[in-house]
Amino acid sequence: QVQLVESGGELVQPGGSLRLSCAASGGIFSIYTMGWYRQAPGKQRELVAVITSGGSTNYADSVKGRFTISRDNAKNTVYLQMNGLKPEDTAVYYCNAEYKGLSDYWGQGTQVTVSS
């Protein structure tokens, strides 16, 4: 069983930056594809970015060029660096760990609010 704990969400002004962290425990972190998802009020949860065990990354079109996902296997942590934040980035951000469709874990989420 993998436990995921997100942190780093807060209120930030448009154009600002935040770095989200997701600390994992209880599993072999390095084998998992790690992802960040977000859910805004009244909307479905959507993929933001993923990083595979080999380090390949993929991003939603809406965040390409602004967000960067990375992982530190020695620290069992995945990060989401968010730059150029926009009000439409406001959402609860969730961390996900997935292994070949056989297991799927979620964190509790961290709130990101972009507002002046």
Side-chain angles (χ1 to χ4, degrees):
Q1 190 78 6
V2 174
Q3 292 81 44
L4 302 173
V5 179
E6 303 97 333
S7 61
E10 62 181 69
L11 173 64
V12 63
Q13 292 189 344
S17 297
L18 282 177
R19 188 175 81 156
L20 305 183
S21 299
C22 172
S25 61
I28 305 173
F29 177 79
S30 61
I31 68 172
Y32 287 91
T33 290
M34 301 299 298
W36 286 98
Y37 292 72
R38 67 187 181 187
Q39 188 167 17
K43 295 188 177 181
Q44 290 188 332
R45 190 173 297 189
E46 63 176 0
L47 173 68
V48 176
V50 292
I51 183 166
T52 68
S53 57
S56 297
T57 59
N58 193 28
Y59 297 90
D61 287 342
S62 59
V63 307
K64 282 181 181 177
R66 299 189 297 124
F67 291 9
T68 303
I69 189 171
S70 61
R71 65 190 299 160
D72 185 337
N73 290 338
K75 295 183 178 180
N76 289 354
T77 302
V78 62
Y79 304 98
L80 185 69
Q81 178 67 44
M82 305 186 293
N83 300 327
L85 283 160
K86 304 176 181 180
E88 52 263 43
D89 295 318
T90 295
V92 178
Y93 283 71
Y94 296 91
C95 179
N96 173 264
E98 187 274 332
Y99 179 67
K100 296 185 178 181
L102 300 175
S103 54
D104 189 30
Y105 302 99
W106 293 90
Q108 293 299 307
T110 185
Q111 176 71 48
V112 172
T113 303
V114 184
S115 175
S116 55

